Amino acid sequence: MKDLLIGGGACAVVGLGVFFSPPFTFGTTEVIDIKNGPVLVASNEEIAGHLMDAALVDGKPPFYRHKTTRERVGTDAVAFKTEAGIDCVARIHRLDDQRAQVVPQCTTPAAGKSAQGAAVQDIMTLTFREFVWARLENRPYDEKKVRTQMGGAAMKHLPAMRQEAIEANIQMHEMQAEMGAARDAREAEKGW
């Protein structure tokens, strides 16, 4: 009976604490439109001009130490290309005459070859997206937000990466067994 009263009292205290406590926020409380980004009141020329003028600092995101070129692609996009084969495009989508959104996307050479390559492409897109949106919103690059999102991108591909690692391990053991059998056969021929 004593345990029942203590347990019930503890539940009541915790319940009241949760009910009357201020809202708990974890990380950013900002609502992010992952697919389309912030709504900008600007022309395509203004948006493309901001992206063409954006500083690409050596050693900093999104391209770190890769030599990067950029160019206008038509009236609705700016393309960034690196020496490592990473291609990123910021496409401008008009909502109406006054408003637009910019959708950044990157492709990497390894993306279609493995789950790890796909994860790298997702992470590259996240860093490029934050670079573009920070520039267009005239705010600093938020590395903390990007790191949080990188964890999600890696977790998304984790099952496939795990499967690839298991398959590689199986192949390695098969090769070792084949090499051991060949060595044993050679030694048997020599009479060792």
Side-chain angles (χ1 to χ4, degrees):
M1 184 69 178
K2 181 179 171 184
D3 293 339
L4 184 62
L5 288 173
I6 292 173
C11 286
V13 168
V14 169
L16 289 172
V18 169
F19 181 76
F20 289 111
S21 69
F24 177 73
T25 57
F26 180 75
T28 180
T29 57
E30 149 188 24
V31 177
I32 302 169
D33 182 354
I34 292 296
K35 293 187 179 181
N36 304 311
V39 175
L40 307 166
V41 179
S43 68
N44 285 13
E45 271 306 310
E46 292 170 317
I47 293 170
H50 282 301
L51 294 175
M52 291 298 290
D53 294 339
L56 295 173
V57 180
D58 189 34
K60 297 285 184 182
F63 301 112
Y64 299 93
R65 298 210 180 278
H66 296 291
K67 288 189 172 109
T68 306
T69 60
R70 63 183 130 190
E71 64 181 327
R72 291 283 305 267
V73 181
T75 60
D76 65 347
V78 176
F80 294 76
K81 296 179 187 280
T82 71
E83 63 187 359
I86 300 168
D87 296 330
C88 297
V89 177
R91 293 209 180 280
I92 304 166
H93 295 283
R94 300 295 321 163
L95 300 175
D96 56 36
D97 291 344
Q98 299 293 317
R99 301 174 310 136
Q101 289 179 304
V102 178
V103 180
Q105 183 63 42
C106 293
T107 57
T108 60
K113 296 178 182 160
S114 68
Q116 187 176 6
V120 168
Q121 178 168 301
D122 286 355
I123 290 169
M124 188 65 222
T125 296
L126 289 172
T127 59
F128 181 63
R129 180 184 300 153
E130 176 59 18
F131 170 78
V132 167
W133 291 352
R135 174 67 176 144
L136 295 175
E137 291 178 305
N138 198 26
R139 62 175 173 79
Y141 181 89
D142 189 349
E143 190 149 349
K144 187 176 180 182
K145 179 178 19 174
V146 173
R147 284 187 184 160
T148 302
Q149 293 172 343
M150 283 179 180
M155 292 304 289
K156 175 177 133 184
H157 296 285
L158 191 60
M161 288 191 288
R162 180 176 164 260
Q163 185 61 37
E164 287 176 359
I166 290 170
E167 290 170 4
N169 190 24
I170 290 169
Q171 289 175 349
M172 182 185 71
H173 284 293
E174 289 172 352
M175 288 172 46
Q176 286 177 339
E178 289 172 10
M179 289 184 342
R183 183 189 66 235
D184 291 345
R186 282 191 312 271
E187 290 176 357
E189 285 177 10
K190 293 179 181 177
W192 290 3

